[in-house]
Amino acid sequence: LGGEIHTFTDIYKGETRLNVVVHGIERTPAEVAAGVPSKVLVNGKAYTAKELVAYLKTQGIDPANPRYKNVRLLICYAADGGKHSFASDFQKIVSKPVKAFEGTVTTSYGATNMDVVRTELIKHMRAKHPDLDDNGIELLVSAEIETRFSQKSVYVNKADGTLVQIQMAPQGAKIGEHILKVEYKPVHFT
């Protein structure tokens, strides 16, 4: 999808699950005190759960589609706030079970990593196919990403409390190496 957001499906407990990967925005102390849910960052813009669902639909992905039996939000801070969280709001909109996480989420193929892959593929496809318009390039890039990553599982680090070295950056910034303490605090919303 670009803009440091991507989705994929996997099989969870024998059924198709939609996974949404995007950067979450940590709430300020004032937002925590007021019970304001966190937001996500897509193309440099903050989105509420309702806005993210609407955005996904414009991209041809409807989280409420019966094909998906449940949804996993691989988004930092999505479960922070419990019933006043981004994930709780998302679950109410899509009317199906949602798994999300309190605190940070550490995965392989995270939002930043996939955006770098997408950006490099766009450059490559533009050089290889200079006569194609943006839509044609996007189709080729999407097909290539599907080919490269459809059979690879996304690993969610569950080793709560351990230190890991990751590559990350704010959207649009240069990626750097960081040491991060793994937080694994899943929360289920039904």
Side-chain angles (χ1 to χ4, degrees):
L1 300 176
E4 296 199 29
I5 178 172
H6 69 276
T7 63
F8 64 94
T9 59
D10 64 0
I11 302 300
Y12 178 69
K13 297 186 178 180
E15 302 194 303
T16 302
R17 170 174 67 181
L18 175 66
N19 293 267
V20 180
V21 184
V22 63
H23 288 294
I25 303 170
E26 189 172 14
R27 300 180 302 162
T28 66
E31 290 170 328
V32 171
V36 175
S38 64
K39 294 181 180 179
V40 298
L41 193 63
V42 179
N43 294 320
K45 181 181 177 223
Y47 282 73
T48 65
K50 182 178 179 180
E51 292 166 333
L52 180 64
V53 170
Y55 173 80
L56 289 170
K57 287 180 180 179
T58 69
Q59 301 301 304
I61 299 161
D62 182 359
N65 185 319
R67 172 179 178 234
Y68 311 120
K69 300 306 178 195
N70 53 66
V71 178
R72 179 170 61 165
L73 301 176
L74 296 169
I75 303 170
C76 293
Y77 318 112
D80 288 9
K83 67 181 181 178
H84 300 291
S85 67
F86 181 94
S88 178
D89 289 353
F90 193 98
Q91 188 281 322
K92 290 171 190 160
I93 295 163
V94 302
S95 300
K96 60 183 60 184
V98 170
K99 179 179 181 178
F101 302 86
E102 292 179 338
T104 58
V105 179
T106 307
T107 68
S108 59
Y109 308 118
T112 299
N113 304 54
M114 290 303 293
D115 196 53
V116 169
V117 169
R118 176 174 286 283
T119 300
E120 290 302 315
L121 279 172
I122 289 170
K123 287 179 192 173
H124 173 74
M125 293 300 182
R126 284 196 193 288
K128 190 173 179 181
H129 305 281
D131 296 333
L132 280 181
D133 64 8
D134 289 346
N135 290 334
I137 295 295
E138 182 57 37
L139 286 172
L140 288 175
V141 168
S142 294
E144 181 64 22
I145 287 174
E146 179 69 22
T147 299
R148 287 186 186 187
F149 295 100
S150 66
Q151 300 304 316
K152 294 186 179 186
S153 65
V154 171
Y155 171 75
V156 177
N157 195 327
K158 299 178 181 181
D160 192 41
T162 61
L163 296 177
V164 293
Q165 185 173 358
I166 64 167
Q167 293 181 336
M168 64 182 236
Q171 193 169 9
K174 186 175 179 180
I175 294 176
E177 298 285 330
H178 300 274
I179 302 295
L180 182 71
K181 186 166 127 180
V182 173
E183 296 181 32
Y184 183 72
K185 298 176 183 165
V187 181
H188 296 267
F189 297 87
T190 54

